[in-house]
Amino acid sequence: MSKSWTRTHHLGEISERSIDETVTIMGWVHHRRDHGHVVFIDLRDRYGVAQLVLDPAISPDAHQVAESCRHEYVLAAKGRVRRRPDGMDNDSIRTGAIEIEVHQAKILNPSATLPFQIQDQSETHENIRLKYRYLDLRRPELRDALVLRAKVASSFRRALEYERFMEIETPYLYKSTPEGAREFLVPSRIHPGSFFALPQSPQVFKQVLMVSGFDRYYQIVKCFRDEDLRSDRQPEFTQVDCELSFVGQEEVMTLMEEITTQVIKDVKGLSLPPFKRISYTTATERYGTDKPDLRFDLPLVDLSSIASDTEFKVFSQAISLGGIINGLVVPENCGNLSRKDIDALTEIVCQHGAKGLAWAKVKEGQGVESWQSPIAKFVGDQAIAEINKTLGLKPGDTIFFGADDYKTVKQSLAALRIELGRILQLYNPQSLCFAWVTDFPLFETLPNGKLAACHHPFTSPLEDDIPLLSAKPEQVRAAAYDLVLNGHEIAGGSIRIHDANLQNQVFQTLGLSPSEAEETFGFLLEALRYGAPPHGGIAFGLDRLVMILAGATSIRDVIAFPKTNKSSCLMTSSPQEVSSDELRDIHIRVQKMSLNAKET
Amino acid sequence: MSKSWTRTHHLGEISERSIDETVTIMGWVHHRRDHGHVVFIDLRDRYGVAQLVLDPAISPDAHQVAESCRHEYVLAAKGRVRRRPDGMDNDSIRTGAIEIEVHQAKILNPSATLPFQIQDQSETHENIRLKYRYLDLRRPELRDALVLRAKVASSFRRALEYERFMEIETPYLYKSTPEGAREFLVPSRIHPGSFFALPQSPQVFKQVLMVSGFDRYYQIVKCFRDEDLRSDRQPEFTQVDCELSFVGQEEVMTLMEEITTQVIKDVKGLSLPPFKRISYTTATERYGTDKPDLRFDLPLVDLSSIASDTEFKVFSQAISLGGIINGLVVPENCGNLSRKDIDALTEIVCQHGAKGLAWAKVKEGQGVESWQSPIAKFVGDQAIAEINKTLGLKPGDTIFFGADDYKTVKQSLAALRIELGRILQLYNPQSLCFAWVTDFPLFETLPNGKLAACHHPFTSPLEDDIPLLSAKPEQVRAAAYDLVLNGHEIAGGSIRIHDANLQNQVFQTLGLSPSEAEETFGFLLEALRYGAPPHGGIAFGLDRLVMILAGATSIRDVIAFPKTNKSSCLMTSSPQEVSSDELRDIHIRVQKMSLNAKET
């Protein structure tokens, strides 16, 4: 840039206060309109838009430059800020009261015709937009989402550093660990046949840092999982990762609630009420999930006891096979559901494993008479009376039923509940409802009967439950806590085991042999023997949090350069094949496996 | 942690103002001394050390706990802050005027006997300390270096965000690019035979972000190079990476100088003078290197013209073979050099390729008489007179000579100069001397005669030199700038090419065929066609900067979990072998190459 063309203002700092100032501004040609001889250009930069007036009577040269400008040309303009003529104000933009009378203009770079219109999201396939990500990022929604993301990260850092958390970087070249998700491996050139792995989280490093005495650690850090992707998963994702010493569960939760509240205040200007708290058991019983959306209630209610009062096979069989019956009541004042609504809801529960969706609309009357429902006569007077009474049903109420094994009932009704909340508008979509979920089980039982860690194998049992560890491990509760926002898990944490013997016991309970435990986590076990303080922590999923705060529906919309759900980057065409020389250097060769070959 | 044992203070916030307060503190047993019946414990945490007094007369229970404490036990103590008895103050610690009379104590975790003493750096091999990195990190030097590192990062973020730089994360799973250093590859599971590569820098992504209109980007980001390691290299290292739009070289340098000055003010409390500026040519001519240590002068002086006046073969042969003769004068007032010093200096220049080190001490007299030097009589009266006159030598001065090819002379005398600065104490080791080096050549000629980019292939030529690009590319200067601190390159940057045609021309000059350029950087070339603003940036090497600021000699001392120079992590034993199942999943197999096999 030559000296004479130094930008003096960006477009967020020009306003009525700038009137009569001479400014040099630079940006993109957002719109161009010819009004008679005069050309009007809306010039855009990251901070705003301003109207340029290029009048041949003022500067024939500048006017000529404007004449040759097309959409998305990069333009520099020098001129005087002036008030717009009466009645020409544009209230929809911040600079709507002023315009810039241009005396000199220069095209800094032309632009070819874009492959799609920037504003025109719906018309263009996402794959095209991902290929030209640099153009799609000019869309206000994407730009604003990334600006919000930067603000959230910055606010977290400020709040954490204020609380003495210290940023410490941990390695990306780590090693493969047997638990958890599938990992990305990195062949070593210097150690033939050996591999690094990209970390799923800095978990063990942050614990080791507590052993070192760093007291409070944080890092906003990329983590990696080589899993099949969904709309809210990416092979690389970002955590706000924290760990602190000399604390218990209550102290971590209190401090993290303060920090989260501060961040939301910073970035959204909202003052949050104290976070709700709910146990894992209550959450799954009442809302069918361990990440309940608590912006509305609409609880699941256990109706298993009515099975004995009915001959309706769907109900009685569910119970006789060891399952449950749950009901979900939509009170009259929540709105009316059409037959079409109910069909759509049926589809949703079926997607979540249910075989159908039984329902009843309550009307005046007794017994079978009181239900408008395809199942009324099968359920029978006695059970209907029992249900009406138990749930205090009133005419106009609608009730839905789930009857199946525990998991299917809870999952399908949880999905039903979320959909009802949405279509009946039971909450303000702008509202933010944070809740802590606590008292998780320490272990879950896998289909093969083995135990796995619900969070990770370093999670401490609740002190009261330690005696159960050997005899009834499945009953042991964890000193773990998740933070849930509007039905999404946005953070998870726990108090860690700081006693080497207890850690060994948990590894054994998980079926890790002493030699496996030693090989993989030997350094952690050893570290715990040299004066490990009590410690715990938490990790926030930054992508998901920002997605919710931005009102986006996919984390791809809050990541500058996301991968597709086939784990590719369409912009850079990665991954790619590499030369055999490169592979030889790192002591590997390609051996493609078809699915068939794998099975034999 | 049970409620009754909540930490109320850390050890950095207890002082004389706390006297008579009751505190609960937690930390590590740093020292333990028995004085009669009373036990004194120095308790340590990240913030400081405080003396606990455990007197059986005050609390027999607490005293008993103290009796069983050993070094590095984790201890909680409750008690009253009191003034130390007269004459017992310890001025070397912040809490030296007070002590804590302990009423209750509890061991939170014992510690096995450490494999080495924390303070005892020199006695323990670095490999042992790397294996037990969590213990070595308790050493005050390492802890302080990481605290400093966190401060530097935080200060950079604050200063950059104040200047509207916005943090945007770029991907770690990128792709292999043909230029630059060797990369780490990551096999793809979903795309058999394809590979991601870990990025050497986010260069292309940050340029693409400028095309998107983000105006000012920054990121503190890990970068990866699979190179053989030296003391100031690691396979993963951290950059403070910046890019900005609508700027020229002068604006980037001015802004980055302000930001750096602010960071140094924040973390060291120093007000820096304006940074020196020196061209690449002057730096190499005068100091023999493009990263000169400007804390002292001691310049190299060209003496090639004296070759015609002497029959000294070392001099005349160097010139006849196309080389140069340089001198380096140590004025009398800089100190005296012994014969032993000169022997040591000779060794240094020989390590840098010189065949020996010619020198002379100047004394009273004329011609040969005026030099005390093994080479005086060979150089002869005429050349000596010429040298004395040209350099204005005075009795007591010492002069060293280099005569060889250009590179050897400059490199060896540059090393000599650095060593002279150190042993003669020509500068304050605490001082920080920042300097910009500019006007680099755009290309360097490789031994095979091909051109390579000095910085990277996106660097813009200086506008004045663009006409030379096709005819005399080796004469083209780059719009590039390095920031040098005390003889280390701590940042490098450039204005980038924003014109697709110019970028294509540079790729061609580098010998990249249009199809290679298209395959690797097609998306960047295409992005430049859709309204790319003029832009440029810089990247600071955070590890090296912190190393200098911390007074450390290796970047391993400012990285929490460094790799060895064999690219291993001794703490976690990575890299490691993995199962053949894991390799099958990612479509590769190991094929170890011995060096011999490679050569055939």
Side-chain angles (χ1 to χ4, degrees):
Chain A
M1 309 282 300
S2 60
K3 269 262 186 261
S4 58
W5 282 100
T6 298
R7 179 165 67 161
T8 61
H9 293 71
H10 63 71
L11 299 175
E13 56 191 0
I14 294 179
S15 68
E16 287 174 86
R17 283 176 309 172
S18 321
I19 284 171
D20 284 333
E21 277 182 49
T22 298
V23 299
T24 303
I25 55 181
M26 301 180 184
W28 285 261
V29 174
H30 196 57
H31 286 301
R32 210 200 73 161
R33 300 178 304 283
D34 288 22
H35 281 278
H37 291 302
V38 181
V39 177
F40 292 88
I41 285 177
D42 287 343
L43 196 70
R44 183 193 73 231
D45 70 11
R46 177 178 124 200
Y47 314 94
V49 172
Q51 176 167 289
L52 309 185
V53 184
L54 296 114
D55 185 338
I58 291 171
S59 166
D61 288 352
H63 179 261
Q64 204 173 357
V65 169
E67 285 277 331
S68 65
C69 269
R70 299 285 170 270
H71 269 177
E72 301 301 317
Y73 272 40
V74 187
L75 185 69
K78 260 185 234 190
R80 189 178 62 89
V81 181
R82 70 185 194 193
R83 186 173 297 284
R84 293 196 188 188
D86 274 357
M88 304 297 276
D89 284 13
N90 176 355
D91 291 342
S92 69
I93 58 173
R94 202 161 25 165
T95 58
I98 56 104
E99 59 190 14
I100 293 148
E101 171 193 292
V102 177
H103 303 152
Q104 236 183 310
K106 183 183 176 185
I107 292 172
L108 298 175
N109 215 351
S111 171
T113 304
L114 302 195
F116 56 88
Q117 290 308 303
I118 302 273
Q119 300 295 345
D120 194 14
Q121 181 186 0
S122 57
E123 302 276 310
T124 311
H125 192 279
E126 193 188 9
N127 282 358
I128 299 291
R129 288 187 288 113
L130 285 170
K131 181 178 173 193
Y132 297 97
R133 185 67 171 178
Y134 43 89
L135 298 180
D136 208 28
L137 285 171
R138 289 184 190 165
R139 261 200 301 133
E141 295 79 9
L142 274 185
R143 182 197 60 203
D144 292 350
L146 291 188
V147 169
L148 176 69
R149 183 184 180 110
K151 277 188 189 163
V152 171
S154 180
S155 177
F156 258 116
R157 291 181 196 282
R158 245 189 336 270
L160 286 164
E161 290 178 13
Y162 180 80
E163 295 289 353
R164 303 197 318 271
F165 286 83
M166 173 181 157
E167 185 183 20
I168 304 178
E169 295 170 60
T170 55
Y172 281 104
L173 296 170
Y174 177 47
K175 68 171 181 180
S176 186
T177 56
E179 49 84 43
R182 202 187 270 118
E183 293 163 315
F184 288 100
L185 297 180
V186 184
S188 165
R189 178 176 56 88
I190 295 172
H191 303 275
S194 286
F195 293 79
F196 297 104
L198 302 179
Q200 298 180 41
S201 91
Q203 183 62 34
V204 295
F205 291 103
K206 66 179 181 173
Q207 292 193 235
V208 155
L209 287 169
M210 295 303 103
V211 176
S212 296
F214 282 100
D215 206 64
R216 296 189 169 194
Y217 142 96
Y218 90 91
Q219 194 182 189
I220 300 188
V221 63
K222 280 279 179 74
C223 303
F224 302 85
R225 281 187 201 157
D226 186 11
E227 292 182 306
D228 298 318
L229 306 180
R230 303 195 307 248
S231 73
D232 63 345
R233 288 277 175 87
Q234 283 277 310
E236 50 182 302
F237 56 98
T238 305
Q239 283 188 353
V240 181
D241 194 46
C242 309
E243 194 79 4
L244 53 168
S245 293
F246 302 117
V247 290
Q249 173 168 345
E250 193 55 40
E251 288 147 299
V252 179
M253 287 166 66
T254 303
L255 183 56
M256 290 302 152
E257 183 165 329
E258 282 172 26
I259 285 168
T260 308
T261 301
Q262 181 61 49
V263 170
I264 299 298
K265 178 91 191 159
D266 274 2
V267 301
K268 302 288 274 187
L270 292 174
S271 295
L272 294 177
F275 294 0
K276 298 181 183 190
R277 293 196 179 193
I278 186 170
S279 75
Y280 169 83
T281 308
T282 305
T284 42
E285 274 297 317
R286 191 170 170 90
Y287 304 111
T289 171
D290 60 359
K291 36 182 195 258
D293 188 338
L294 297 182
R295 286 177 294 182
F296 61 103
D297 196 21
L298 221 63
L300 279 52
V301 189
D302 186 47
L303 295 172
S304 301
S305 64
I306 61 162
S308 53
D309 294 332
T310 181
E311 288 176 9
F312 183 42
K313 277 198 180 163
V314 174
F315 286 0
S316 54
Q317 273 191 358
I319 297 298
S320 66
L321 292 170
I324 58 168
I325 306 169
N326 270 199
L328 192 159
V329 178
V330 180
E332 190 205 4
N333 60 11
C334 285
N336 205 18
L337 292 164
S338 67
R339 192 58 203 247
K340 206 175 140 198
D341 288 335
I342 292 178
D343 288 347
L345 294 169
T346 304
E347 208 163 291
I348 283 173
V349 297
C350 290
Q351 281 165 11
H352 287 82
K355 293 177 200 77
L357 180 61
W359 58 271
K361 287 194 177 190
V362 183
K363 51 185 184 175
E364 298 292 346
Q366 296 291 320
V368 168
E369 287 300 305
S370 69
W371 279 19
Q372 175 200 332
S373 167
I375 62 166
K377 61 178 174 182
F378 305 109
V379 177
D381 283 330
Q382 198 178 344
I384 288 179
E386 175 74 18
I387 293 169
N388 287 349
K389 191 178 153 207
T390 308
L391 301 183
L393 297 180
K394 293 187 192 69
D397 292 352
T398 306
I399 179 165
F400 294 97
F401 297 95
D404 211 318
D405 62 87
Y406 185 90
K407 198 174 157 192
T408 303
V409 169
K410 292 299 184 188
Q411 278 186 358
S412 60
L413 291 190
L416 175 70
R417 176 180 172 271
I418 294 297
E419 182 63 7
L420 284 168
R422 194 183 69 81
I423 64 176
L424 298 173
Q425 301 179 350
L426 300 182
Y427 54 86
N428 172 359
Q430 304 299 321
S431 69
L432 299 174
C433 182
F434 285 89
W436 289 107
V437 182
T438 59
D439 294 323
F440 285 84
L442 188 60
F443 304 108
E444 59 181 344
T445 308
L446 298 178
N448 64 9
K450 283 190 185 168
L451 293 176
C454 273
H455 277 70
H456 55 61
F458 317 109
T459 304
S460 177
L462 287 182
E463 212 169 318
D464 291 346
D465 293 0
I466 292 179
L468 299 170
L469 204 49
S470 46
K472 298 175 178 168
E474 70 286 346
Q475 288 182 20
V476 174
R477 287 167 303 166
Y481 31 85
D482 277 1
L483 185 58
V484 168
L485 169 58
N486 294 0
H488 297 266
E489 181 200 330
I490 57 147
S494 65
I495 298 302
R496 328 299 183 184
I497 297 167
H498 66 276
D499 177 306
N501 294 328
L502 182 59
Q503 183 66 71
N504 254 326
Q505 198 185 345
V506 167
F507 281 150
Q508 276 169 34
T509 310
L510 287 168
L512 230 64
S513 74
S515 70
E516 282 173 326
E518 182 58 35
E519 190 186 342
T520 313
F521 298 118
F523 66 98
L524 181 66
L525 284 169
E526 192 153 20
L528 296 182
R529 288 189 197 100
Y530 292 115
H535 63 287
I538 197 164
F540 291 82
L542 183 65
D543 309 290
R544 216 178 284 166
L545 174 59
V546 175
M547 179 187 85
I548 300 168
L549 297 180
T553 51
S554 161
I555 59 168
R556 286 198 292 276
D557 290 341
V558 299
I559 294 174
F561 302 103
K563 301 283 191 290
T564 65
N565 57 12
K566 289 229 161 54
S567 203
S568 308
C569 173
L570 299 181
M571 185 183 83
T572 63
S573 309
S574 70
Q576 258 189 355
E577 295 189 3
V578 300
S579 72
S580 54
D581 280 358
E582 283 178 83
L583 298 183
R584 193 156 45 216
D585 275 352
I586 55 175
H587 318 284
I588 61 168
R589 50 184 271 195
V590 167
Q591 185 163 55
K592 294 185 196 180
M593 281 285 162
S594 72
L595 268 176
N596 287 340
K598 240 189 214 170
E599 280 163 2
T600 58
Chain B
M1 309 281 301
S2 60
K3 268 260 187 262
S4 58
W5 282 100
T6 298
R7 179 165 67 163
T8 61
H9 293 72
H10 63 72
L11 299 175
E13 55 192 1
I14 295 179
S15 67
E16 286 174 87
R17 284 176 309 171
S18 321
I19 283 170
D20 284 334
E21 277 182 47
T22 297
V23 299
T24 303
I25 54 181
M26 301 181 183
W28 285 261
V29 174
H30 196 58
H31 286 301
R32 209 198 75 161
R33 299 178 305 283
D34 289 24
H35 281 278
H37 291 302
V38 181
V39 177
F40 291 88
I41 285 178
D42 288 341
L43 196 71
R44 183 194 74 230
D45 70 11
R46 176 178 123 200
Y47 314 95
V49 172
Q51 175 167 290
L52 310 184
V53 184
L54 295 115
D55 187 337
I58 291 172
S59 166
D61 288 352
H63 178 261
Q64 205 172 356
V65 169
E67 285 277 332
S68 65
C69 270
R70 299 284 170 270
H71 268 177
E72 300 302 317
Y73 272 40
V74 188
L75 185 70
K78 261 185 233 192
R80 190 177 61 87
V81 181
R82 69 185 194 193
R83 187 173 297 284
R84 293 196 188 191
D86 274 356
M88 304 297 277
D89 285 13
N90 176 355
D91 292 341
S92 69
I93 60 173
R94 205 162 22 166
T95 59
I98 56 103
E99 60 190 12
I100 293 150
E101 172 194 290
V102 177
H103 303 152
Q104 236 183 310
K106 182 182 175 186
I107 292 172
L108 298 175
N109 215 353
S111 172
T113 303
L114 302 195
F116 56 89
Q117 290 306 304
I118 302 271
Q119 300 296 344
D120 195 14
Q121 181 187 0
S122 58
E123 302 276 310
T124 311
H125 191 280
E126 193 187 9
N127 282 358
I128 298 291
R129 288 187 289 114
L130 285 171
K131 180 179 175 193
Y132 296 97
R133 185 68 171 178
Y134 44 88
L135 299 180
D136 208 29
L137 284 171
R138 290 184 189 164
R139 259 200 301 133
E141 295 80 8
L142 274 186
R143 182 198 59 204
D144 292 349
L146 291 188
V147 169
L148 176 70
R149 183 184 179 109
K151 278 188 189 162
V152 171
S154 180
S155 177
F156 258 117
R157 290 181 197 283
R158 248 192 332 272
L160 286 164
E161 290 179 13
Y162 180 79
E163 295 288 355
R164 303 197 318 272
F165 285 84
M166 171 182 160
E167 186 183 20
I168 304 178
E169 296 170 59
T170 55
Y172 281 104
L173 295 170
Y174 177 47
K175 67 171 183 179
S176 186
T177 55
E179 49 86 41
R182 204 188 268 118
E183 293 162 315
F184 288 101
L185 297 179
V186 183
S188 165
R189 178 175 57 87
I190 295 173
H191 303 274
S194 285
F195 293 79
F196 297 104
L198 301 179
Q200 299 180 40
S201 92
Q203 183 62 35
V204 294
F205 290 104
K206 66 179 180 172
Q207 291 193 236
V208 156
L209 287 169
M210 295 303 103
V211 176
S212 296
F214 282 100
D215 205 65
R216 295 188 171 194
Y217 142 97
Y218 90 92
Q219 193 182 191
I220 299 187
V221 62
K222 281 278 179 74
C223 302
F224 302 85
R225 282 187 200 158
D226 186 12
E227 291 182 306
D228 298 317
L229 306 180
R230 304 194 307 246
S231 74
D232 62 345
R233 287 278 174 88
Q234 283 277 309
E236 49 182 303
F237 56 98
T238 305
Q239 283 188 353
V240 181
D241 194 46
C242 308
E243 194 79 6
L244 53 167
S245 292
F246 302 118
V247 290
Q249 173 168 345
E250 193 56 40
E251 289 147 298
V252 179
M253 288 166 66
T254 303
L255 184 56
M256 290 301 152
E257 183 166 329
E258 282 171 26
I259 285 168
T260 309
T261 301
Q262 182 59 48
V263 170
I264 299 299
K265 178 90 192 162
D266 275 2
V267 302
K268 302 289 274 187
L270 292 175
S271 295
L272 294 178
F275 294 0
K276 297 181 183 188
R277 293 196 178 192
I278 186 170
S279 75
Y280 169 84
T281 308
T282 305
T284 42
E285 275 297 316
R286 191 170 169 91
Y287 304 111
T289 172
D290 60 0
K291 36 182 195 259
D293 188 338
L294 296 183
R295 286 177 294 182
F296 61 103
D297 196 22
L298 221 63
L300 279 52
V301 188
D302 187 48
L303 295 173
S304 301
S305 65
I306 61 164
S308 53
D309 294 332
T310 181
E311 286 174 10
F312 183 41
K313 276 198 181 160
V314 174
F315 287 0
S316 55
Q317 273 191 357
I319 298 297
S320 66
L321 292 170
I324 57 167
I325 307 167
N326 271 198
L328 193 160
V329 178
V330 180
E332 189 205 5
N333 61 11
C334 285
N336 205 17
L337 293 163
S338 67
R339 191 59 204 244
K340 208 174 141 198
D341 289 333
I342 293 179
D343 287 348
L345 294 169
T346 304
E347 208 162 291
I348 284 173
V349 296
C350 290
Q351 281 164 11
H352 287 82
K355 292 174 200 78
L357 180 61
W359 57 272
K361 289 196 177 187
V362 182
K363 51 185 186 176
E364 298 291 346
Q366 295 292 319
V368 169
E369 286 301 303
S370 69
W371 280 18
Q372 175 200 334
S373 166
I375 63 166
K377 61 178 173 183
F378 305 110
V379 177
D381 283 328
Q382 199 179 343
I384 289 179
E386 175 75 19
I387 293 170
N388 287 350
K389 192 179 151 206
T390 307
L391 302 182
L393 297 179
K394 294 186 191 68
D397 292 353
T398 305
I399 178 164
F400 294 98
F401 297 94
D404 212 315
D405 63 88
Y406 185 91
K407 198 174 156 192
T408 304
V409 169
K410 293 299 183 186
Q411 279 186 356
S412 59
L413 291 190
L416 175 71
R417 177 180 171 271
I418 294 298
E419 182 63 7
L420 284 168
R422 193 182 71 79
I423 64 176
L424 298 172
Q425 303 178 351
L426 299 183
Y427 54 86
N428 172 358
Q430 304 299 321
S431 69
L432 299 174
C433 182
F434 286 88
W436 289 108
V437 182
T438 59
D439 294 324
F440 284 84
L442 187 61
F443 304 108
E444 59 182 344
T445 308
L446 298 178
N448 64 9
K450 282 190 185 168
L451 292 176
C454 274
H455 277 70
H456 54 61
F458 318 109
T459 304
S460 176
L462 287 180
E463 213 169 318
D464 291 347
D465 293 0
I466 292 178
L468 299 171
L469 205 49
S470 46
K472 297 174 177 169
E474 69 286 347
Q475 289 182 19
V476 175
R477 287 166 304 164
Y481 31 85
D482 277 1
L483 186 57
V484 167
L485 168 58
N486 294 359
H488 297 266
E489 183 200 328
I490 58 146
S494 64
I495 298 301
R496 327 300 182 185
I497 296 167
H498 66 277
D499 177 304
N501 294 328
L502 182 58
Q503 184 66 70
N504 255 326
Q505 199 186 344
V506 167
F507 282 149
Q508 276 168 34
T509 310
L510 288 167
L512 230 63
S513 74
S515 70
E516 282 173 324
E518 182 58 35
E519 189 185 346
T520 314
F521 298 118
F523 67 98
L524 181 66
L525 284 169
E526 192 153 19
L528 295 182
R529 286 188 199 103
Y530 291 115
H535 63 286
I538 198 166
F540 292 82
L542 183 64
D543 309 290
R544 215 178 284 167
L545 173 61
V546 175
M547 179 187 86
I548 299 168
L549 297 180
T553 51
S554 161
I555 60 168
R556 286 197 293 275
D557 290 341
V558 299
I559 294 174
F561 301 103
K563 301 283 190 290
T564 65
N565 57 12
K566 289 230 161 52
S567 203
S568 309
C569 173
L570 299 180
M571 185 182 83
T572 62
S573 308
S574 70
Q576 257 188 355
E577 294 188 4
V578 301
S579 73
S580 53
D581 281 358
E582 283 178 83
L583 298 183
R584 193 156 43 216
D585 274 353
I586 55 175
H587 318 283
I588 62 167
R589 52 185 269 195
V590 167
Q591 185 163 54
K592 293 186 195 179
M593 282 285 162
S594 73
L595 269 176
N596 287 341
K598 242 188 213 168
E599 281 163 1
T600 58

